[in-house]
């Protein structure tokens, strides 16, 4: 059977706080999007040919994609060195190739600043299916105002994992099954360093949720050994996300 999953990448940018848990960079997708419409997600998108040209491996192409998409969707410069200009987001929106902009402005990529965290590849048939690599990155020391990408993101914000989970539970926000599971995992950590150490201690294996019958109900399940504190959810509630 042909695999029609679209290669993609997502970046979890974490900002340590003086008191309290770290804040995460999240966007709310517009209701017009074909995938996860109106949902809160981490910045990310599909890996394109230009991303691959800047990398020597699929994992590094995913890193390039995650960096580029984060800039496009929020204006936050992560994984870049040599003082990138504030105009980078606007230039990307204007259709300028990422590689050309890096060369023009003398900006380098710090791909190792992105820590592998997870890989999700749902097998259920949706309008679009993605094979997504998730990375962690520390927020830059100085971050200006967030600038959500018009037409794709209704908003962008810094918010803790626990706060997002509370909003979803109260019906004030929407999130899909992989995002919720990753938020629960991220809510365990008090700093970026804790999250990075946890990621390093667990293998990055492809997660393809499956349906399991238990206790007279159907559950959507994921593996138990990949660092997630919650590994099942009732199918009825999971598919609503």
């Amino acid at each position: 059977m042909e695999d029609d999953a679209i290669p993609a990448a997502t970046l979890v940018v974490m900002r340590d706080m003086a008191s309290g848990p770290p804040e995460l960079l999240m966007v709310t997708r517009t209701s017009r999007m074909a995938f996860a419409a109106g949902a809160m997600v981490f910045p990310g998108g599909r890996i394109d040919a230009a991303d691959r040209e800047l990398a020597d491996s699929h994992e590094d192409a995913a890193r390039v994609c995650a960096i580029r998409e984060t800039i496009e969707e929020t204006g936050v410069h992560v994984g870049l060195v040599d003082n990138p200009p504030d105009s980078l987001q606007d230039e990307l929106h204007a259709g300028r190739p990422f590689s050309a902009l890096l060369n023009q402005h003398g900006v380098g990529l710090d791909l190792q600043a992105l820590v592998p965290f997870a890989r999700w590849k749902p097998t259920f048939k949706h309008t679009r299916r993605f094979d997504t690599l998730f990375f962690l990155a520390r927020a830059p020391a100085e971050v200006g105002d967030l600038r959500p990408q018009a037409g794709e993101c209704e908003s962008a914000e810094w918010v803790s994992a626990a706060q997002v989970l509370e909003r979803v539970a109260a019906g004030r926000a929407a999130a899909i099954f992989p995002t919720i599971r990753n938020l629960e995992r991220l809510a365990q950590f008090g700093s970026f360093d804790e999250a990075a150490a946890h990621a390093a201690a667990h293998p990055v294996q492809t997660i393809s949720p499956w349906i399991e019958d238990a206790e007279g109900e159907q559950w959507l399940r994921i593996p138990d050994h990949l660092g997630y504190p919650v590994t099942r959810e009732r199918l009825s509630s999971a598919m609503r996300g």
Side-chain angles (χ1 to χ4, degrees):
M1 179 178 177
E2 185 178 353
D3 186 355
D4 61 352
I6 300 167
T10 287
L11 187 54
V12 180
V13 184
M14 304 183 69
R15 180 168 74 173
D16 287 341
M17 306 301 292
S19 61
E23 292 182 334
L24 313 176
L25 178 60
M26 298 198 71
V27 299
T28 299
R29 292 168 64 83
T30 68
S31 59
R32 299 184 299 276
M33 302 299 290
F35 176 77
M40 294 188 71
V41 298
F42 306 107
R46 67 176 65 203
I47 301 168
D48 61 28
D51 298 325
R52 296 185 181 94
E53 292 174 1
L54 287 169
D56 296 324
S57 66
H58 176 73
E59 183 173 293
D60 278 352
R63 286 183 165 99
V64 174
C65 171
I67 292 168
R68 173 181 56 76
E69 288 282 351
T70 299
I71 297 168
E72 289 180 356
E73 294 183 1
T74 69
V76 174
H77 299 158
V78 180
L80 301 181
V81 294
D82 302 320
N83 299 316
D86 293 337
S87 62
L88 202 55
Q89 182 187 28
D90 290 334
E91 292 176 294
L92 284 169
H93 290 173
R96 295 287 306 284
F98 192 33
S99 59
L101 292 174
L102 295 177
N103 290 332
Q104 174 187 336
H105 298 298
V107 175
L109 291 168
D110 182 8
L111 299 183
Q112 297 313 304
L114 276 63
V115 178
F117 185 65
R119 183 173 186 172
W120 282 74
K121 184 183 177 182
T123 56
F124 300 105
K125 197 64 181 177
H126 293 290
T127 305
R128 293 177 183 171
R129 290 197 311 113
F130 293 91
D131 180 357
T132 306
L133 283 166
F134 286 71
F135 297 93
L136 304 177
R138 190 189 303 275
E142 296 183 8
V143 178
D145 293 337
L146 299 180
R147 299 176 60 199
Q149 183 177 5
E152 289 199 18
C153 306
E154 290 183 357
S155 62
E157 62 183 304
W158 293 102
V159 59
S160 74
Q163 288 172 327
V164 180
L165 290 169
E166 289 171 3
R167 291 185 199 173
V168 172
R172 300 194 305 274
I176 60 176
F177 182 82
T179 304
I180 292 172
R181 299 288 85 85
N182 280 301
L183 286 167
E184 290 162 346
R185 185 177 175 188
L186 292 161
Q188 301 175 102
F189 311 125
S191 67
F192 170 79
D193 287 338
E194 285 184 19
H198 185 270
H202 292 82
V204 174
Q205 297 177 352
T206 303
I207 299 173
S208 296
W210 68 94
I211 298 172
E212 181 177 274
D213 293 320
E215 303 161 17
E217 298 185 76
Q218 287 191 312
W219 301 79
L220 196 57
R221 289 273 285 112
I222 63 173
D224 292 321
H225 66 289
L226 299 180
Y228 289 86
V230 179
T231 58
R232 69 174 190 169
E233 182 179 344
R234 288 180 175 83
L235 183 64
S236 57
S237 63
M239 298 310 287
R240 283 201 300 269

